[in-house]
Amino acid sequence: MPLLAKARHVRVSREGVCVTEVQLRSVAKRFGDEVAIEALDLRIPDGELVALLGPSGCGKTTTLRMISGLETPSAGQILFEGRDVSGVSVQERNVGMVFQRYALFPHMTVEKNVAFGLSIRGLPKSEIAERVAEILGVVQLSEYRKRFPSQLSGGQMQRVAIARTLITEPDVLMMDEPLANLDTGLRGEMRRFIRELQQRLGITTIFVTHDQVEAMELADRVAVIFDGRLAQYGAPDRLYRKPASLNVARFLGATNLVPGRLRDPDLVDTPLGTLVCPWRQGQTGDAVHVMARSELIDIGTERTAPTDIEGRIIAREFFGATVSYSVACQNTHVNVTEQARRMLELGAPVWLKLAPEHMWIIPE
Amino acid sequence: MPPTTSPDARARLWRAAQLAPVLSVLVLLFGGALVLALAQSLGFAPWFGVNTFPDPSYFGSLWGSADFWVSLGLTLAYALAATGLALILGTALALALVRAFRGQRLYKYIYKLPLMIPYTVGIALAVLMLGNGGMVSRLAAFVGLIDSPGEFPRILNTHYGWGIIAVYVWKQTPFVALSVYAVLLGIGRDTSEAAAILGANRRQIFWRVTLPQILPGIVSAALICFAFNVGAFEAPFILGGGYPDTLPVVAWRYFNDADYTLQIQGMAVVVSIALVAGLILFAWLALYRWQERRMGRR
């Protein structure tokens, strides 16, 4: 793969080692009196695909724009391979950006769009043509090269945007909500495409999303940002199973968050009774929440262990592959999701099994 | 079934009703006047006791005189210079306005002021400011640049047309800015930011990304400004350099002559203006369409 070789060559030759690590050191951004980013510390390892996840207005897009150089941080440093790039202009920063609405040049053909970065650099025409043909092959758009953006579908436009960016061999690739504007069917296709391409080129990639599913589908690591602050940074499964705070848990779709009080190393008093959970931190008497993912709770019609919790099904939702029950236990509700192999009746008495290893204590 | 009851026919009727006001004005008033002007310029004026239709001698004598071509040249020169300047200034202004800066809101009100002030007021302002006894000359004398206001170089009433051009540019720069600004807001800043990330500097972004996208706004603004400038009468009448005048002033002089049969000659001038302006605007549009096709916008 010549493109891969070329990209690697550029990256290796710079420092002798193969790194394009991006680091943010207490980066802050204010717009007038409004604080967009408080103080963000983030290290994005070389060649990884990292998602900045958060609700709209949390500062994730601002962060992306600061890394690209479109915005200047009010304070702090942005480092590429340990080199401060704060003083480097957008043009010189050698980054790539795929905008949410692609930002293709409407007055240029696909070919001209893709060639733009190289033609700006004044490369000879023959070399541009060669590299455009090559990259259009990579994004599988060779037969569309004479089309204008208005004649393309959303997925094709996005691939043009990706090709236009990759042809300049950026050190870092950024994407703003890469899957948000695509149909459900296309999302899966584009997700696989982006993942494969990223792995093949090994390019450090940062993307922004407000959709936790998108973040988990695509990213090696996810940085959750709330109100301009990093709430948690880690692998998707860790964020999902072991959220650091209630907000992160809620944002990642946790439904069962039962308030309780820490007793003894691994016992929590909750409205569901005393639960056995793996101890993490905190002292006896601390107020905590216990998170139990709805798909990790077993539901049965008979009691099989003394720790089983008694309840009654008060609502049922059928999603095809799965079915979700709302179970009333003592004074609280527990959501349980299971494969739709059977359907339990509304009002039926049931027993819930909350295994200690599937529960997670979140400090207040 | 009567045809009026079918939804198709009703839709057609409704469309005709919607088009009627503009169409009737265009066909009856404008079209009628044009036909009448053409007929008159060819010698059809029974109300003056003249009817030699078709008689090309009015055009013949007009186009045969060298002064007509000087007038035409002046008319076009003033119109082109003013349109070009207004386009450049207005586009630059619009580009500045889409970027956030301090006092932007106030500035957005101020720059539109000339649009609300009539041309005649603008002409009066030009006389007050730029004339030989005007504010600028007095100020220049006051600060000692010249010894007396009378030494101030003549700006108004010369065949260079500085005053005419100044008034047109003063009035039309905000107009161009307004129309280009609207287009700029529509295209957003995404494409220019994308270009910057791809390595383009400001100049490259303007010429290769922004300008092609705002071209429709610029072309239509230019069209409107130029059409007005070619046909405008007050500014060259008051601020112009005298004989040979611009064509609208020439026409006006014919129309006001004691010898009312000269009105026929005036009509020939009017028709000439329409012909030249129409030809230039048509060529301009054709050029633009060709450019659009080249850029794939049909």
Side-chain angles (χ1 to χ4, degrees), chain A residues 128-277:
Chain A
I128 293 178
E130 196 181 305
R131 281 171 66 179
V132 167
E134 183 185 327
I135 196 97
L136 283 179
V138 171
V139 297
Q140 299 147 31
L141 282 174
S142 299
E143 69 254 52
Y144 295 95
R145 64 181 197 283
K146 293 288 181 205
R147 296 254 186 116
F148 285 90
S150 58
Q151 300 164 313
L152 300 177
S153 72
Q156 290 166 338
M157 284 199 264
Q158 184 161 48
R159 279 185 283 163
V160 175
I162 292 171
R164 182 178 71 173
T165 289
L166 287 180
I167 203 165
T168 63
E169 298 178 342
D171 292 335
V172 181
L173 175 64
M174 280 172 283
M175 306 177 105
D176 194 354
E177 306 267 3
L179 305 179
N181 281 6
L182 301 175
D183 302 335
T184 325
L186 214 52
R187 277 176 74 113
E189 194 185 305
M190 244 5 255
R191 187 179 67 228
R192 278 189 295 278
F193 176 81
I194 293 171
R195 199 84 187 91
E196 256 170 46
L197 197 67
Q198 193 270 339
Q199 276 171 356
R200 200 158 82 192
L201 303 179
I203 180 172
T204 308
T205 305
I206 308 165
F207 74 97
V208 148
T209 178
H210 65 274
D211 180 355
Q212 50 114 350
V213 178
E214 188 174 319
M216 289 205 242
E217 283 171 345
L218 213 50
D220 294 318
R221 273 178 217 244
V222 179
V224 184
I225 299 173
F226 289 129
D227 296 327
R229 254 178 279 195
L230 186 65
Q232 194 171 359
Y233 183 39
D237 66 316
R238 182 164 178 89
L239 259 62
Y240 185 79
R241 288 181 218 283
K242 299 177 174 177
S245 70
L246 221 49
N247 279 337
V248 175
R250 288 212 183 96
F251 198 73
L252 293 179
T255 47
N256 300 319
L257 292 160
V258 188
R261 205 161 277 284
L262 212 59
R263 193 217 292 182
D264 270 4
D266 52 1
L267 292 178
V268 184
D269 288 325
T270 71
L272 290 173
T274 301
L275 300 176
V276 183
C277 309

